[in-house]
Amino acid sequence: MTTTVGAGTPLWGRAEQQDFRARVRGCLLGGAIGDALGAGIEFDSLAAIRAAHGPDGVRDYVPAYGRRGAVTDDTQMTLFTAEGLIRAQVRRDTGAWHPPTDVHRAYLRWAATQRDWGPDEREPDAGWLVHEEWLYARRAPGQACLSGLADDRMGTPEEPKNPGSKGCGTVMRSAPFGLLVGWEPPLVFQLAAECAAQTHGHPTGVLAAAAFAVIVHGAARGEPLDAAVQRALALLAGRPGHEETTHALRQALGAVRQGLPTPERVESLGQGWVAEEALAMGVYCALVAEDVRHGLLLAVNHGGDSDSTGSVCGNLLGAVHGETALPAGWLAELEGRATILELADDFAMELTQGASLHGPAGSSAAWLARYPRA
């Protein structure tokens, strides 16, 4: 999609900028739609889903958290991942270049939305996202995410938080790492792994998130999805503790060749509560999807963590096809759509035009107010 000079400095033509923005929008909005489709049936068995919604399961949003189109912690944390990466790019001007730290600070801001009543106007350096009042809502957040962010200490690969945890909370928030299309895949893999260790320390929780980021990265670059999965497998192969994640992805690839996709075939890959299962199920549904609607409905109609598998599938399909492929009716009812679009456009603008927004030649005061260097 782009040519690069040096380490991760993309050269962008106008058409490339427009294509990239469409993929970023598609990735973030698609993930949120999948999240919202699964939110109302997250804890139901397949039999219960069919009994309540018919033999084909859910075909549209069902009420969750008091409304249709409500998103969960999956979308909340994905947005803060994206915001943290923008802040990291902005802080690079200062020489303080350590993206895991900026992402961790963003996750701490998300954690504040889970315990506070609303935004604290006394913190001007917090940026704009944490002041979005609709984000101050508990939507069944994972305990490992909450406990991993309960204090200011940042988990690292050497000293991770929750070293025994491999819940899907790492995978469902990691799509934005893959949108760093000017980076080389091993660097995307490493950054996603380091940030996963901030809440989940089990090798599978870390490596499944890293693999997902690399698959999104390939999709955002316009590569075939199966080729992106093969690249992820190659990067996994050299990592200690990769076996569960590798096996899950190989199962997903094998399921593609086993016949027409069905909810039962999706369930053969797991329930999605743990990282490698959520990854495999979301990837499988994206690989066999006839279109975005088909893939997302397949990804949520199973007995398990429907919102997380829907989110993973939606991130991938949105990155592949762009936002114009997303069903308009679902977009119209999606909670937080304006915020998600605003953040997606900011992410695309930072990556393609960051040098015009901040740097030695001058900076935009409005941009630095949105994404403070402090």
Side-chain angles (χ1 to χ4, degrees):
M1 176 182 168
T2 62
T3 56
T4 59
V5 176
T9 305
L11 296 176
W12 299 91
R14 184 172 178 183
E16 288 178 318
Q17 289 185 42
Q18 292 172 340
D19 179 74
F20 178 61
R21 184 177 67 177
R23 292 179 189 273
V24 175
R25 285 178 166 186
C27 182
L28 298 188
L29 287 169
I33 290 172
D35 181 19
L37 284 169
I41 55 172
E42 178 181 7
F43 301 104
D44 296 342
S45 67
L46 180 57
I49 292 169
R50 285 171 167 163
H53 304 286
D56 293 330
V58 297
R59 312 304 295 169
D60 199 350
Y61 292 140
V62 297
Y65 305 103
R67 59 162 291 167
R68 286 166 52 96
V71 299
T72 77
D73 60 313
D74 298 26
T75 296
Q76 293 173 344
M77 292 200 77
T78 298
L79 297 181
F80 279 97
T81 302
E83 190 236 17
L85 292 174
I86 296 173
R87 296 278 285 263
Q89 293 289 116
V90 172
R91 279 168 53 81
R92 193 172 189 172
D93 295 342
T94 70
W97 177 240
H98 191 247
T101 296
D102 292 292
V103 172
H104 182 246
R105 288 170 177 160
Y107 289 159
L108 291 176
R109 289 191 287 276
W110 168 79
T113 70
Q114 303 301 289
R115 63 172 183 266
D116 296 344
W117 287 102
D120 187 346
E121 300 297 336
R122 296 170 298 177
E123 297 184 23
D125 288 341
W128 73 276
L129 185 63
V130 79
H131 288 94
E132 294 288 293
E133 292 191 13
W134 71 274
L135 288 169
Y136 286 76
R138 275 210 178 204
R139 301 289 173 79
Q143 287 304 308
C145 291
L146 292 175
S147 63
L149 300 167
D151 57 44
D152 291 343
R153 183 180 77 81
M154 183 175 74
T156 65
E158 296 74 26
E159 296 184 26
K161 293 289 189 73
N162 299 314
S165 179
K166 62 169 186 172
C168 69
T170 56
V171 174
M172 55 77 165
R173 71 187 193 228
S174 290
F177 299 114
L179 298 175
L180 297 171
V181 294
W183 291 37
E184 291 305 311
L187 295 178
V188 171
F189 187 99
Q190 181 61 29
L191 177 58
E194 289 188 30
C195 293
Q198 295 173 8
T199 57
H200 296 66
H202 191 286
T204 300
V206 169
L207 294 176
F212 178 49
V214 168
I215 298 169
V216 172
H217 187 252
R221 283 182 160 190
E223 298 172 2
L225 203 51
D226 56 351
V229 175
Q230 292 297 338
R231 179 178 289 109
L233 286 167
L235 289 170
L236 284 167
R239 295 293 185 125
H242 73 90
E243 290 80 7
E244 286 183 328
T245 305
T246 294
H247 176 68
L249 281 176
R250 292 200 183 282
Q251 275 194 306
L253 292 174
V256 174
R257 300 187 292 270
Q258 290 171 6
L260 292 174
T262 63
E264 287 77 13
R265 206 175 304 285
V266 175
E267 286 194 337
S268 74
L269 300 172
Q271 293 186 310
W273 301 112
V274 292
E276 76 275 22
E277 291 180 1
L279 173 64
M281 295 164 77
V283 166
Y284 167 74
C285 293
L287 284 169
V288 300
E290 298 171 4
D291 54 30
V292 173
R293 181 182 296 274
H294 172 255
L296 288 179
L297 292 175
L298 185 66
V300 301
N301 278 294
H302 62 83
D305 197 350
S306 296
D307 61 318
S308 294
T309 54
S311 177
V312 168
C313 179
N315 289 143
L316 289 170
L317 290 176
V320 169
H321 298 292
E323 94 275 16
T324 58
L326 303 177
W330 288 347
L331 276 174
E333 284 192 274
L334 181 65
E335 182 182 29
R337 177 166 62 102
T339 300
I340 299 168
L341 265 174
E342 191 172 359
L343 185 66
D345 286 352
D346 281 2
F347 190 99
M349 189 155 58
E350 173 61 39
L351 263 66
T352 61
Q353 302 179 67
S356 301
L357 295 167
H358 52 86
S363 298
S364 163
W367 195 252
L368 296 184
R370 291 175 69 74
Y371 302 103
R373 291 184 174 129

